[in-house]
Amino acid sequence: MLRRSIAFCLVLLGVTALAMPASAAPTNTYYVDANGLTPQFPYDAPEKAATGIVEAVTEAQANWNPDTNFVVLVANGTYHLTNTITITKPITVVSVNGRDATFVDGGYPARTNRCFYISANAVLNGFTISNGYAFGPPPANRGGGIYAYACTALVQNCNIVGNRAATNTSGNGCGAGMAMT
């Protein structure tokens, strides 16, 4: 059986935190704009914004250090994924105007990847996450929209809808919208 998430989901994982870092540490901000005209590495100004979330998250994580807050600021738009957005460092990924203006589309059935994989104490705030697909034997069949693994992540102000999870043997997946282990 193929499982499909269909409802609004507001999920808080772990301890409470703010969408933007609250400490007095300096902040490095990386920008994303689906309609950006001149993406320019390292995506550190709005006029040089990456056109995909994966690129900005990758850059933020490559530069991460524990004495600085790292924020990926995502402009309004629909972001069509060709790969999972993998978050392995404690960064904040936040949309400018929230879940009603910023959409992450995993592309199912044309593509079969989950939308987000989180394995760090990260923050994900303000997205509509849909059409993600987790497939295969466990743990590959967990969390079509978001899979949070071995971490204290905070997911807030997100709509998680229309995602799927399945195995290649029984057809049953775990947490089509979101799974946490």
Side-chain angles (χ1 to χ4, degrees):
M1 167 187 280
L2 182 67
R3 296 192 183 186
R4 186 169 184 248
S5 65
I6 58 172
F8 165 78
C9 186
L10 171 64
V11 180
L12 295 177
L13 304 174
V15 297
T16 58
L18 299 174
M20 300 296 284
S23 71
T27 299
N28 286 355
T29 303
Y30 299 85
Y31 297 86
V32 182
D33 185 346
N35 300 310
L37 300 176
T38 55
Q40 186 178 350
F41 179 81
Y43 319 119
D44 58 356
E47 63 276 3
K48 298 192 282 183
T51 55
I53 300 170
V54 170
E55 293 84 357
V57 166
T58 300
E59 182 61 17
Q61 294 179 138
N63 292 304
W64 183 85
N65 71 66
D67 300 321
T68 304
N69 296 310
F70 287 79
V71 175
V72 175
L73 189 59
V74 183
N76 298 354
T78 299
Y79 296 87
H80 299 280
L81 301 180
T82 56
N83 293 300
T84 300
I85 299 167
T86 301
I87 302 172
T88 60
K89 301 286 185 185
I91 65 172
T92 296
V93 181
V94 60
S95 67
V96 173
N97 289 307
R99 63 181 178 246
D100 295 330
T102 313
F103 306 89
V104 175
D105 185 338
Y108 181 82
R111 290 177 300 285
T112 55
N113 53 264
R114 73 173 44 95
C115 294
F116 288 93
Y117 173 82
I118 304 171
S119 64
N121 301 339
V123 176
L124 183 64
N125 185 357
F127 297 91
T128 292
I129 301 164
S130 63
N131 296 319
Y133 185 60
F135 177 80
N141 70 332
R142 298 178 182 151
I146 302 169
Y147 181 37
Y149 176 75
C151 63
T152 303
L154 174 65
V155 176
Q156 62 186 18
N157 303 315
C158 290
N159 284 329
I160 305 170
V161 297
N163 297 285
R164 293 153 182 84
T167 65
N168 55 5
T169 56
S170 67
N172 293 322
C174 300
M178 181 172 181
M180 305 162 284
T181 57

